[in-house]
Amino acid sequence: MARVFSGIQPTGEVHLGNYLGAIVNWVRDLDVDDSTFCVVDLHAITIPQDPGILRSKSRNLTALLIACGIDPERCTLFVQSHVPEHAQLAWIMQSVVSYGELGRMTQFKDKSDQHDFVSAGLFTYPALQAADILLYDTEKVPVGADQKQHIELCRDAAERFNRRFAADDDPVFVVPVHSTPAAGARVMDLQNPTKKMSKSLDSPQGTVLVLDEPKAVEKKFKRAVTDSEAVVRYAPDDPDKAGVTNLLSILSAVTGADPDSLAGKYEQYGPLKADCAAAVIEHVVPIQQRYAELVDDPAELDRLIAAGAAKAHAKAAEVLARAERAIGLGAH
Ligand code: AMP
Ligand code: TRP
């Protein structure tokens, strides 16, 4: 069993791309890995957030992950700010990574260009991310390609810390590797099928949310952009067929059937869109019901969130103590 850690920001809505591209894989691997998933609210405040909304988003995302099948009995699921060791180790890691290294992070460059007020936290964000990972003796970090640079920095920081503060045969930190998640479905925007479905809300009609009402799901699929050829075929390399190919891969991802053989069943786009909507609805309705039950029972959700934090804290405290002892901090 590999120790796996991943973090997800409580900003933005969870859409079909996140679900079929990432969450489904996490759920499938719950039994083969020792997994820890963290709702990273400390990372979220590096850009301005409304306090009340941030709190409810962190809570609701935790509930939604559970509803999607991230079973807290079979993994550790928690909210980052509930486990103080993250902020504590992050401070230490800020002294281990260099200003120059942080300045080379492309995500910082992108995000700082988008905001007038650039917080120091936005700059040191990767040191917090390194702390997240190192606190659980993580071996594998499944994240998208955009996060690879942060994982490389985490590896460099862990190695540097071990070299400076630990004996060769008794390292303080496990050095993790980046893992490309098993190829999940790549879900494209329904209105703009050569673009990935994404949380930037500039294409609300092209983005299907896991919590969309069935009527809205139906409408979005009905209006999905296709082409004028009127032939249903699965052609991942043909940009002219991007819309139809996307519908077939979504249908394939939710039903488990092969996209080519699905294509053979349809002569027209209308029925394909209708079946796609129906299959997605059939898939998300139980998630929505479970989600509603969780948010309607705040005491139970609080219990699950607190239990997750306690489980995470037990491990994190042990690793933080190891790091503090090595570096000469704390009353150890
Ligand atoms: P994001 O919300 O963009 O940070 O993505 C969270 C996770 O969902 C990452 O692991 C992404 O790889 C995955 N993801 C996001 N959008 C899509 C998409 N359109 N298709 C497949 N996977 C996606
Ligand atoms: N930075 C990641 C993102 O924007 C989220 C994240 C925070 C994370 N801490 C992590 C991912 C630790 C993997 C491991 O998506």
Side-chain angles (χ1 to χ4, degrees):
M1 266 198 165
R3 280 185 305 273
V4 167
F5 183 99
S6 201
I8 175 162
Q9 294 226 27
T11 48
E13 307 277 352
V14 176
H15 54 72
L16 212 53
N18 300 135
Y19 179 71
L20 296 175
I23 299 173
V24 162
N25 296 322
W26 297 352
V27 172
R28 200 201 35 233
D29 291 344
L30 283 183
D31 291 322
V32 291
D33 290 320
D34 174 2
S35 306
T36 302
F37 298 110
C38 178
V39 172
V40 293
D41 56 349
L42 295 174
H43 281 97
I45 62 163
T46 56
I47 54 175
Q49 303 291 340
D50 175 277
I53 295 177
L54 176 62
R55 185 181 295 283
S56 69
K57 282 202 162 184
S58 300
R59 183 179 172 80
N60 293 346
L61 178 58
T62 310
L64 185 56
L65 290 172
I66 297 172
C68 285
I70 305 287
D71 175 5
E73 297 288 326
R74 290 187 289 152
C75 66
T76 305
L77 171 65
F78 69 103
V79 179
Q80 191 180 28
S81 66
H82 301 188
V83 179
E85 286 79 6
H86 287 259
Q88 292 176 276
L89 184 62
W91 181 254
I92 295 176
M93 297 319 292
Q94 284 179 64
S95 329
V96 177
V97 300
S98 76
Y99 182 84
E101 281 170 322
L102 291 172
R104 285 194 286 278
M105 296 293 114
T106 56
Q107 185 175 300
F108 171 72
K109 292 183 201 164
D110 293 346
K111 286 198 183 176
S112 56
D113 283 345
Q114 293 164 23
H115 298 276
D116 293 332
F117 177 82
V118 179
S119 70
L122 191 64
F123 187 65
T124 61
Y125 178 115
L128 174 59
Q129 183 163 350
D132 297 341
I133 297 166
L134 299 176
L135 279 172
Y136 300 92
D137 285 339
T138 302
E139 294 162 317
K140 255 180 22 187
V141 189
V143 278
D146 65 321
Q147 292 297 315
K148 192 162 185 220
Q149 207 186 13
H150 290 169
I151 311 307
E152 291 299 326
L153 181 58
C154 172
R155 287 173 57 82
D156 291 344
E159 280 167 355
R160 186 174 307 146
F161 187 103
N162 286 341
R163 214 164 38 241
R164 283 201 200 150
F165 304 111
D168 284 351
D169 58 351
D170 188 22
V172 168
F173 291 132
V174 172
V175 181
V177 297
H178 163 268
S179 94
T180 313
R186 191 155 183 265
V187 181
M188 311 308 279
D189 188 294
L190 297 187
Q191 286 299 315
N192 196 348
T194 51
K195 242 186 65 193
K196 252 175 63 163
M197 188 176 284
S198 92
K199 61 188 165 187
S200 59
L201 292 174
D202 35 287
S203 176
Q205 290 313 313
T207 308
V208 177
L209 304 180
V210 171
L211 292 178
D212 267 344
E213 298 268 348
K215 279 260 167 293
V217 176
E218 239 164 49
K219 207 159 130 191
K220 288 176 183 178
F221 276 104
K222 206 168 185 173
R223 293 187 181 165
V225 168
T226 48
D227 57 74
S228 55
E229 189 195 25
V231 178
V232 177
R233 58 193 169 86
Y234 181 68
D237 298 322
D238 181 353
D240 292 337
K241 298 304 282 182
V244 178
T245 296
N246 187 36
L247 293 173
L248 288 166
S249 36
I250 293 172
L251 189 57
S252 157
V254 286
T255 60
D258 168 76
D260 274 316
S261 58
L262 284 172
K265 291 192 187 159
Y266 296 92
E267 307 211 315
Q268 287 172 325
Y269 296 157
L272 169 62
K273 290 178 177 182
D275 283 5
C276 222
V280 168
I281 290 167
E282 197 182 306
H283 204 89
V284 295
V285 161
I287 294 176
Q288 296 179 357
Q289 283 166 348
R290 175 90 183 100
Y291 174 76
E293 284 165 21
L294 282 162
V295 292
D296 284 349
D297 186 352
E300 171 63 2
L301 183 54
D302 283 342
R303 188 191 69 76
L304 291 170
I305 290 175
K311 211 155 129 188
H313 166 73
K315 176 70 184 170
E318 179 195 310
V319 178
L320 177 67
R322 227 159 62 201
E324 285 189 338
R325 262 196 302 273
I327 202 170
L329 295 173
H332 299 288

